[in-house]
Amino acid sequence: MAKQSKISCCFLVFVLVNLIFCNGVLSVRAENEFISAVGDSGMRRDNLRVAIESWNQCNEVGEEALQTGSPRAADCFDIYKATPQPQGEVCFCNQQLPYVLVHRVTEQDNKLRMGEPFFGLQAESQFNVDLYAAEKELYLGFKCQVEDTPNPWQFWMIMLKSGNMDTYAAKCPKNGHRVGPFPDQNSFPCFGKGCMNQPSIYHDYTKLQLPDMILKGRFFGSWDLEADLSRGMVGNISYHSVTWEKKLGEGSWVFHHVLRTSAKYPWLMLYLRSDATHGFSGGYHYPTRGMSKIIPESPNFKVRFTLNVIKGGGPSSQFYLMDMGSCWKNNGKPCDGNVTSDVTRYSEMIINPNTTSWCHANNLNVCPPYHTFPNGTRVHRNDTARFPYAAYHLYCSPGNGEHLEAPFNLCDPYSNPQPQEILQILPHPVWGEYGYPKKQGEGWIGDPRTWELDVGRLSQSLYFYQDPGTPPARRQWMSIDLGTEIFKDPDQVAEWTVSDFDILVPKQ
Ligand SMILES: *[C@@H]1O[C@H](CO)[C@@H](O)[C@H](O)[C@H]1NC(C)=O
Ligand SMILES: *[C@@H]1O[C@H](CO)[C@@H](O)[C@H](O)[C@H]1NC(C)=O
Ligand SMILES: *[C@@H]1O[C@H](CO)[C@@H](O)[C@H](O)[C@H]1NC(C)=O
Ligand SMILES: *[C@@H]1O[C@H](CO)[C@@H](O)[C@H](O)[C@H]1NC(C)=O
Ligand SMILES: *[C@@H]1O[C@H](CO)[C@@H](O)[C@H](O)[C@H]1NC(C)=O
């Protein structure tokens, strides 16, 4: 009987396909049809668009590094086939230069530093180091922009950040409010005056290598500004490097990342982001440029990519399989740039098996108030028999939340221009339903994988704070990224590659 129904089922599919063919319209109309939300779907476009940005502890510039200028740079080019000159019958014309690479961003653009004018620069930003960088990003975006539907897009964004903070310099606001100098209670690394410096960023413009037709380019540098990088990553210096490589006309770009911490810079971050192409992106209170031409919104989107972790970055490397950033106010309204009422919301899965759960039945302040299972059942964190404590590393509450459920643990008030809320999860069977790792070690060193994560449904199920009785916020994720945060651990090296990245949203 079972066999019988299977056959008729197959037959039905056959007839359906046939019918579509007979009508001469071959349209695959599935109920769940997805399209790409990013400009460069799957990183397959030869004409690359990539940029780099660097942030200090509170996502600003603070002070430019002398050799780099304003810490924003881009590598954007288009390839044209050179017209061959006919030279007889059997012609392998012009084998040396079959293609021409036209770079859209010049060295002069990339080296722009505060004070130097450029097209579109607002007068009030010219001598403000933070505003200058934000506008330089828009300028680079203008040069790199690719027209597309429903929106133009600009570039993948490499993001660097140092966690150093000089609390005596009073550079970072607290939950969005300016505060004066204060003594540090051992929360932030700082070797003294100037510890919040920006790194050097050097640039190897993308070139086409013959004869194997490999396109390759790189950004690299160090926060240790006196370090000699001519011999690469030697000695105990901090280091960052992202190399991109692709065979012309084939496959995906492969982004190869290296991040190294040092005694002076033990807390460093390196991410590859798909940011919003306009408006604010996660953690940044200035208009941004990016790759997400459609902003993915929970619960309907997926993220696909290939990740190969080569070196983990030590036990304190919070390697984010998926990191997402958004912003909404505690009353559920969208952010508008008001840093005292906007709240950045982050969620990430940490896949380093050295990272353990801090959320326990006897440490409820770092657990979200409840967990929601895929079937919608909610379990309160005090339900010790059913709450999946091991699925959570850490939850922290926004510093401006007025109705937080006790006990709570407030998020670091300094590391964003506005208050923030963070939910960090760990590989666990409860996330398996969404395609995430079910146990520690999955996707880690020696286990490269192509993931297709149902980030939309997972992020819809996560707890985020809102004032009681307010309509639920639209969870729109302006930043979707991958990478690591080595948290206060010197002399550690992380190394990984990312390729095939895509964000998929339902076709409207
Ligand atoms: C780097 O630092 C480690 C520990 O801090 C030390 O053991 C090692 O000798 C240093 N290496 C160099 C080349 O300075
Ligand atoms: C920003 O938000 C706070 C808190 O809601 C409010 O008191 C303040 O007036 C707002 N500032 C502006 C410029 O709208
Ligand atoms: C981190 O994990 C590795 C591999 O499981 C293990 O060998 C090492 O002892 C762990 N280190 C710490 C500090 O837990
Ligand atoms: C929902 O899922 C949870 C966890 O798998 C299970 O314990 C619970 O019984 C389910 N509830 C319903 C109504 O199916
Ligand atoms: C668990 O928390 C809920 C919500 O705060 C509360 O109503 C309930 O009494 C608590 N149960 C226990 C056993 O503490």
Side-chain angles (χ1 to χ4, degrees), residues 34 41-43 302-306 322 450-453 455 482 498-504:
F34 283 82
S41 173
M43 299 179 151
K302 292 178 186 188
V303 183
R304 189 189 289 156
F305 55 88
T306 302
M322 179 88 304
T450 298
W451 298 96
E452 183 168 314
L453 307 177
V455 183
L482 288 166
V498 174
S499 50
D500 306 311
F501 189 97
D502 211 347
I503 302 174
L504 301 164

Side-chain angles (χ1 to χ4, degrees), residues 67 89 251 257 281 302 327 345 354:
Q67 57 267 72
E89 287 286 83
H257 308 68
S281 67
K302 292 178 186 188
C327 192
R345 322 275 173 167
N354 286 114

Side-chain angles (χ1 to χ4, degrees), residues 414-476:
Y414 300 100
S415 72
N416 265 226
Q418 55 284 88
Q420 54 174 342
E421 179 177 25
I422 305 175
L423 185 54
Q424 295 180 320
I425 62 176
L426 297 172
H428 189 279
V430 295
W431 312 122
E433 165 85 10
Y434 309 110
Y436 279 66
K438 291 196 274 267
K439 59 175 201 281
Q440 297 265 6
E442 284 180 6
W444 194 235
I445 300 164
D447 187 22
R449 289 192 189 196
T450 298
W451 298 96
E452 183 168 314
L453 307 177
D454 195 342
V455 183
R457 233 160 32 96
L458 175 124
S459 56
Q460 182 75 5
S461 83
L462 295 178
Y463 174 85
F464 283 104
Y465 172 79
Q466 266 192 239
D467 293 334
T470 56
R474 287 176 68 180
R475 298 185 174 187
Q476 298 176 296

